[in-house]
Amino acid sequence: DIDDICWIGMIDELEENGYLFPCDYSEEVENILWGLSQLKNYSLIESYTDDFEADDDDDAEEFVHKLNSTLKGACICMIDIDSDSYELIIASLDVYKKISAIAKNNGYSIITL
């Protein structure tokens, strides 16, 4: 299906250009923080991660959910590719609203955890 090819192509482009960090659901918290810090728009959440106390026992979903609850004006989103991995991006709340609506209108999803 051409739509699926375009969806996966978009994800590949986001990763290749420094806007997406893929991780496994069981990824360690420190690896997720490191991966997010490598993204080009990390500055949207950087001030919140400096003092954020992560629980090393959290899985990726729990950790991102807790971090998102502390953020103001931005969020960490997951692009759904129907797998066990999390394709994480950082977006301002305005951008998140737009891209999640576009994804939904096209049969896909971008969600916050």
Side-chain angles (χ1 to χ4, degrees):
D1 182 344
I2 191 70
D3 291 338
D4 290 340
I5 292 169
C6 290
W7 186 248
I8 297 301
M10 176 198 69
I11 291 166
D12 290 343
E13 286 295 314
L14 286 168
E15 183 177 4
E16 288 174 19
N17 288 287
Y19 291 97
L20 181 141
F21 172 67
C23 70
D24 187 70
Y25 71 94
S26 62
E27 193 80 45
E28 292 185 21
V29 168
E30 66 186 40
N31 292 339
I32 298 170
L33 274 173
W34 176 85
L36 292 172
S37 74
Q38 302 306 299
L39 299 181
K40 288 184 178 177
N41 57 352
Y42 179 67
S43 61
L44 291 171
I45 67 168
E46 184 172 17
S47 64
Y48 298 94
T49 61
D50 291 340
D51 297 325
F52 184 74
E53 302 228 359
D55 184 347
D56 290 336
D57 293 332
D58 286 346
D59 63 22
E61 190 170 334
E62 291 170 320
F63 168 70
V64 171
H65 175 74
K66 288 177 181 177
L67 183 54
N68 268 339
S69 70
T70 69
L71 301 178
K72 305 278 188 276
C75 59
I76 301 165
C77 314
M78 182 192 80
I79 301 175
D80 187 9
I81 60 167
D82 197 26
S83 98
D84 288 343
S85 69
Y86 294 97
E87 310 302 317
L88 301 177
I89 61 172
I90 300 168
S92 70
L93 293 179
D94 290 341
V95 168
Y96 168 69
K97 288 176 188 174
K98 290 175 188 174
I99 63 176
S100 64
I102 292 168
K104 184 177 180 178
N105 288 340
N106 289 286
Y108 299 98
S109 68
I110 299 174
I111 61 169
T112 60
L113 299 172

